Amino acid sequence: GAVVSQHPSRVICKSGTSVKIECRSLDFQATTMFWYRQFPKQSLMLMATSNEGSKATYEQGVEKDKFLINHASLTLSTLTVTSAHPEDSSFYICSASWGVGNTIYFGEGSWLTVV
Amino acid sequence: QKEVEQNSGPLSVPEGAIASLNCTYSDRGSQSFFWYRQYSGKSPELIMSIYSNGDKEDGRFTAQLNKASQYVSLLIRDSQPSDSATYLCAVKLGTGNAGKSTFGDGTTLTVKP
């Protein structure tokens, strides 16, 4: 079946630095990928839609200059959290749609801790 | 009104019972409906998808869709402690949003041994 893989699963970075999270579709080509953020015990929040070969579409309230998204190929999208701060610490999850009904499949998620 | 609403939890059922999870949506143009399970600290995993009115069964899980009432539900028969998780309802809105789905806030289910 469809598989979406994320890396790294956990990352700790210092405040003020940048960190990159990768999302790969392993069994299929994904022209569109999605990035979510989830704080503990809260619901999924869609951050942006990543479009292969074009600019990402950000949801209202999400800073596009802080959360840089690059979708350079049909199997890879990256999210870079720039100038990270402790309040950016969260669970970041990517997903891609595939198949009948454009079912969304999620990556394993990446825990980001900013210290 | 939220686009996708789920019954507020938490929901607690004894082991072996039927757990019923409900979801309503606001856009009548919605065409695809999904249920995901999310364990604490993990990403969501797909349980079932449903596209047509009626019931769809997969093992202990049954999804029910009623487009006229804009309602989709998930029944878990013979609930097990391992079913304890947060269940997310997702709806694909309209026809133009390539793959974009809207998620409910989730219902947390606890199955007590």
Side-chain angles (χ1 to χ4, degrees):
Chain A
V3 177
V4 178
S5 179
Q6 260 182 266
H7 178 81
S9 57
R10 290 184 179 274
V11 58
I12 300 173
C13 71
K14 292 184 178 180
S15 186
T17 63
S18 297
V19 62
K20 180 186 287 186
I21 300 170
E22 293 186 347
C23 179
R24 295 181 183 273
S25 58
L26 300 182
D27 298 335
F28 60 99
Q29 294 181 330
T31 55
T32 304
M33 292 185 176
F34 304 91
W35 287 96
Y36 298 83
R37 180 169 57 183
Q38 188 177 39
F39 293 106
K41 299 190 183 298
Q42 294 189 22
S43 57
L44 284 173
M45 188 196 80
L46 178 65
M47 298 176 67
T49 301
S50 173
N51 305 300
E52 188 270 334
S54 64
K55 292 182 179 180
T57 304
Y58 290 83
E59 297 297 305
Q60 190 173 6
V62 177
E63 299 175 60
K64 62 180 181 180
D65 294 329
K66 179 171 183 64
F67 299 99
L68 301 179
I69 291 172
N70 183 284
H71 194 155
S73 78
L74 287 171
T75 60
L76 175 64
S77 174
T78 61
L79 168 69
T80 301
V81 182
T82 64
S83 186
H85 292 285
E87 56 265 32
D88 297 324
S89 299
S90 187
F91 190 41
Y92 291 86
I93 314 172
C94 73
S95 71
S97 60
W98 179 81
V100 177
N102 281 315
T103 302
I104 285 187
Y105 294 91
F106 288 91
E108 304 92 332
S110 300
W111 283 101
L112 170 63
T113 302
V114 184
V115 298
Chain B
Q1 180 188 5
K2 289 185 178 180
E3 294 177 57
V4 178
E5 292 203 53
Q6 296 185 236
N7 50 333
S8 58
L11 175 65
S12 180
V13 300
E15 184 174 357
I18 296 175
S20 177
L21 304 162
N22 304 315
C23 174
T24 58
Y25 58 95
S26 60
D27 192 326
R28 284 192 172 276
S30 301
Q31 298 183 343
S32 306
F33 307 86
F34 309 93
W35 282 100
Y36 293 84
R37 175 176 61 197
Q38 186 177 23
Y39 291 113
S40 180
K42 303 292 184 181
S43 68
E45 56 180 328
L46 180 69
I47 299 175
M48 290 189 70
S49 58
I50 186 167
Y51 309 100
S52 304
N53 281 327
D55 294 0
K56 179 180 179 182
E57 186 175 317
D58 184 0
R60 296 186 296 110
F61 299 97
T62 299
Q64 299 174 318
L65 175 61
N66 184 324
K67 290 185 179 180
S69 300
Q70 296 173 243
Y71 172 95
V72 57
S73 66
L74 180 70
L75 300 178
I76 306 174
R77 291 182 300 282
D78 189 22
S79 295
Q80 302 297 308
S82 58
D83 295 326
S84 298
T86 296
Y87 289 80
L88 302 171
C89 169
V91 176
K92 183 174 178 290
L93 302 176
T95 59
N97 300 315
K100 180 177 179 178
S101 296
T102 299
F103 287 82
D105 289 340
T107 300
T108 298
L109 170 68
T110 300
V111 180
K112 296 185 176 181

